[in-house]
Amino acid sequence: MTDGTAELSEPGRAMARPGSDDLPGGGARGGEPLGGGGPAAAAPFRVVVVGNGMVGSRFAADLLATAGPDQEHRARPLRVTVLGDEEYDPYNRVLLSEVVAGRADIGALTLPSTGDERAEVHRGAPAIAIDRSSRTVLTSDGAFPYDAVVLATGSSARIPDVPGLGSGPGGTLPAGVHALRTLDDAREIVAATSNARRAVVIGAGVLGLEVACGLARRGLAVTVVHGGASPMDRQLGPDAGLAASRTLAELGIAVRTGVRTREVVVRGAGGRGAAVAGVVLVPDAGDDADEVPTDLLVLACGTVPEATLARTAGLTVDRGVVVGHGLASPDDPDVYAIGDCAQPPEGGTGLIAQGWEQSRRLAALLALRVLSEPGRALPRPGSDTSGAAARLHVRFTDDERPSMALRIALGVEQGGRSPGDERLEMLPTGVSSLPAPPLAASRGEGVMTGASSALPADSPAALSVDTPVGSAVAPARTPPTAPTDVVRLKAAGLDVVAMGVCGARRAHDPSHRTLRLTDPDAGRHVEVVVAGGFLVGATVVGAPQIGADLTATYTRRVPVPADPAHLLLQPVAQAAAPASDPTHMPDRTTVCSCNGVTKGDIVASWREGARSTTDIARATRATTGCGGCKDVVCGLADWLRKADPEQPGTASATPRAGGRAPEPVPVHG
């Protein structure tokens, strides 16, 4: 929220109280008649969500949950319309590569639905246009009026401009060439593997390596083509890339880096029988081209934000739909964008965690417009308030606090304010202020002084330290909120996790202390970056347990040891035997780090009636991210069936008061 405020109605106009006769047109927007008293007397607040994918469906659920049920304290009832381009229920797009690998069934990708009668979902109803003058979204089925429209149109696969790719009927892709972005794409690739012997994947990013490992698992000879110096060079430096390449070679996958695709060779070009036969590669440093034969070509060349709808509506579009800190378009404060299609001030990561964080934030902002008291007009997020003398603002002061229902619904508390600053600061419950994270040198954060301790010269591993002479970790500061830039590779046979400051393209920062443990012959590399007493980046290849530990340290903002080498050496040392019974797992143990779900959350959902993995996913959202926690959730469900902690005579899942809690069991999702 840019100015800490929100609006209920048009700028400069107060919201009509339920039952009054000063609503626009004398009645409810959308043609609903006004009655006497109660929430039904006011025109419903209509939110149209364009996109029914992982972010759009999540936002609809977040908004309905945040606003709560329609009650008398509500200024207006809430109605949500979701317009989905595909015919399917929302599904986990992140796990499409698992379908290609044969490790996940298509039916298992379906995400839990809201099941709220206030939500109306239209599948197979792509939006055609946004008519901002009449405040409607147009589809082939009709027009849907809105008070706020949320664009969650995602992104589409980028098709490189390479000769041969448009040789199919009508300029389409020839047979045997596929991108992987939708459920239909995954089905077509799986079907193609039954007749293919050789496959080429263009792009060695996260998706490219996941697809390559999946195709190799199905028995195909796979070649990965990448223009960078090493695989996943956005996340992996040279040493980490070498370790990943060694593992890929063991899986039978050839990696061609530093090359570009000059041409896609097609047989039967110009007719309906056009099919891929190979790719012609040219090294960046030379002109010697060679052809790699293939029966199946998968394009993993990145994505392009779907911003056509916003562009035709006259909204500012750069790479994506430009939005402010309040996620609203600068051209129209009633049009928002979240997820892959949005271009916020901080930039887009392309990761689902960022879209979900935007979903939660926008749900809280729009809930203010629905929940605020009748007669109190609040400026829209991002609108100009310089001349709004007649507008009333929400202030969290001792004399005037919002209703308990509002505070509980939004889950916010009064944040820290400087003298004279009375703006509403949206913060998670229990957080009083959010200092800048010690990630960027331009912010002047993370400067370290003092003396560092050296590692033993006879260390059994190749351990290197990049740090200014005479530097040491400064005392830890209050950590910021959990980051959303953790990248996990879901590849059969290759374990990679990267977060924060990482990759071959990272800028040098003298305030960052970097430690590496590299063992390329074993396909293992661990690298951590520390600043200001916190872990600000990590890269882990071939060491999943260490990756889980570092992910927890990074996302929870746990202060690092005075000697950060312990981040590398401690997990390598002999670890204690894992808990043989989930009873000994503390409730605080994170099971699904994608959604921040703990063992305690799963136990609570069980006590509230969730009796299957699907029920637990619907209640807690565990397993709906990267899917890595599914086995753990299934194990906890099996354990709860046999020994419900609420039953008398069974061990409690929570450590007894006064007793020392066992160490957290490292589980991640």
Side-chain angles (χ1 to χ4, degrees):
M1 184 182 298
T2 52
D3 59 1
T5 56
E7 184 183 41
L8 287 171
S9 185
E10 283 71 23
R13 182 163 62 189
M15 169 62 63
R17 297 179 182 272
S20 64
D21 58 1
D22 55 353
L23 286 167
R29 181 175 285 126
E32 292 191 13
L34 294 178
F45 188 88
R46 299 181 183 274
V47 178
V48 175
V49 183
V50 182
N52 192 30
M54 294 184 71
V55 174
S57 61
R58 170 68 66 95
F59 169 75
D62 283 344
L63 177 59
L64 292 166
T66 303
D70 292 339
Q71 294 179 1
E72 291 185 1
H73 72 271
R74 172 78 56 80
R76 303 168 71 177
L78 175 64
R79 298 295 179 266
V80 178
T81 300
V82 182
L83 305 177
D85 193 3
E86 297 181 80
E87 294 280 356
Y88 311 113
D89 289 331
Y91 57 88
N92 192 332
R93 199 181 305 272
V94 176
L95 298 181
L96 287 176
S97 59
E98 295 285 88
V99 174
V100 173
R103 301 201 302 179
D105 184 77
I106 287 180
L109 270 59
T110 302
L111 296 173
S113 58
T114 61
D116 195 303
E117 60 182 9
R118 295 171 296 167
E120 186 178 86
V121 180
H122 296 262
R123 302 177 186 85
I128 299 173
I130 299 175
D131 188 341
R132 292 164 53 200
S133 59
S134 64
R135 298 165 66 84
T136 55
V137 177
L138 306 178
T139 72
S140 58
D141 295 335
F144 297 88
Y146 68 82
D147 293 286
V149 59
V150 178
L151 299 177
T153 48
S155 58
S156 57
R158 188 177 76 86
I159 307 300
D161 186 13
V162 175
L165 283 183
S167 56
T172 59
L173 295 176
V177 180
H178 305 272
L180 179 57
R181 194 64 188 162
T182 67
L183 205 57
D184 289 337
D185 293 335
R187 284 195 175 106
E188 291 172 1
I189 292 175
V190 171
T193 60
S194 61
N195 297 318
R197 294 178 300 162
R198 298 164 297 190
V200 170
V201 178
I202 299 180
V206 174
L207 179 61
L209 293 188
E210 289 178 351
V211 172
C213 291
L215 294 175
R217 189 173 185 267
R218 288 185 177 270
L220 278 70
V222 182
T223 300
V224 177
V225 177
H226 188 54
S230 63
M232 286 181 65
D233 52 341
R234 289 184 60 183
Q235 293 85 20
L236 305 183
D239 292 337
L242 178 59
S245 296
R246 293 288 177 86
T247 302
L248 290 169
E250 292 178 358
L251 296 174
I253 299 172
V255 180
R256 300 283 301 273
T257 57
V259 296
R260 56 186 173 86
T261 305
R262 189 176 72 180
E263 179 186 358
V264 174
V265 180
V266 177
R267 64 174 181 269
R272 292 186 177 274
V276 64
V279 293
V280 178
L281 305 179
V282 180
D284 288 338
D287 297 327
D288 297 330
D290 67 309
E291 181 178 335
V292 179
T294 186
D295 310 308
L296 173 62
L297 176 61
V298 179
L299 305 176
C301 309
T303 59
V304 179
E306 281 287 358
T308 304
L309 195 64
R311 188 180 290 108
T312 55
L315 303 174
T316 301
V317 174
D318 183 21
R319 186 176 185 273
V321 184
V322 175
V323 295
H325 291 287
L327 300 171
S329 168
D331 307 299
D332 191 330
D334 286 326
V335 180
Y336 305 84
I338 56 177
D340 283 355
C341 71
Q343 183 176 318
E346 68 273 15
T349 64
L351 301 177
I352 188 61
Q354 184 184 40
W356 284 348
E357 186 275 333
Q358 292 171 347
S359 170
R360 289 189 294 268
R361 186 150 47 100
L362 183 56
L365 296 175
L366 289 183
L368 276 176
R369 296 178 62 178
V370 182
L371 289 172
S372 296
E373 299 174 12
R376 184 182 296 276
L378 306 175
R380 294 183 181 90
S383 61
D384 181 16
T385 60
S386 57
R391 302 178 190 173
L392 300 177
H393 295 70
V394 168
R395 296 181 175 89
F396 280 12
T397 65
D398 293 335
D399 296 331
E400 180 185 6
R401 293 185 60 80
S403 67
M404 180 62 72
L406 175 59
R407 281 184 282 148
I408 291 176
L410 295 180
V412 301
E413 290 186 352
Q414 182 176 6
R417 296 195 303 261
S418 58
D421 183 4
E422 295 182 329
R423 295 179 300 172
L424 172 66
E425 185 175 4
M426 302 293 295
L427 298 174
T429 302
V431 178
S432 59
S433 62
L434 299 180
L439 297 181
S442 60
R443 298 181 182 178
E445 300 289 342
V447 179
M448 299 168 287
T449 59
S452 63
S453 58
L455 291 173
D458 57 349
S459 174
L463 182 65
S464 62
V465 179
D466 292 344
T467 181
V469 176
S471 66
V473 178
R477 288 185 290 271
T478 303
T481 53
T484 59
D485 57 352
V486 178
V487 177
R488 294 182 184 86
L489 188 72
K490 301 170 298 302
L494 177 61
D495 293 298
V496 177
V497 61
M499 61 207 77
V501 178
C502 61
R505 308 175 194 176
R506 59 182 266 203
H508 174 69
D509 188 336
S511 69
H512 290 167
R513 183 177 181 182
T514 303
L515 298 90
R516 302 184 187 93
L517 184 153
T518 184
D519 186 7
D521 291 337
R524 182 174 63 176
H525 176 90
V526 181
E527 179 177 317
V528 296
V529 184
V530 175
F534 290 95
L535 183 68
V536 298
T539 306
V540 183
V541 179
Q545 187 57 66
I546 298 176
D549 294 341
L550 292 178
T551 299
T553 300
Y554 178 71
T555 56
R556 299 176 191 172
R557 293 303 196 194
V558 177
V560 301
D563 182 358
H566 289 293
L567 292 172
L568 306 180
L569 300 180
Q570 226 174 12
V572 176
Q574 185 175 4
S580 59
D581 190 327
T583 302
H584 303 296
M585 180 191 296
D587 280 358
R588 67 179 181 275
T589 303
T590 300
V591 174
C592 174
S593 55
C594 291
N595 293 284
V597 181
T598 65
K599 176 215 174 183
D601 296 329
I602 292 175
V603 172
S605 70
W606 179 274
R607 292 176 177 174
E608 293 170 0
R611 290 295 183 266
S612 66
T613 304
T614 302
D615 293 339
I616 293 172
R618 184 178 294 107
T620 67
R621 291 174 175 164
T623 75
T624 63
C626 73
C629 64
K630 186 172 183 179
D631 290 342
V632 179
V633 174
C634 290
L636 286 173
D638 290 340
W639 166 68
L640 287 166
R641 288 191 193 96
K642 298 174 182 177
D644 187 336
E646 280 194 324
Q647 298 300 321
T650 60
S652 172
T654 306
R656 295 180 181 178
R660 184 177 182 274
E663 292 300 319
V665 178
V667 222
H668 62 100

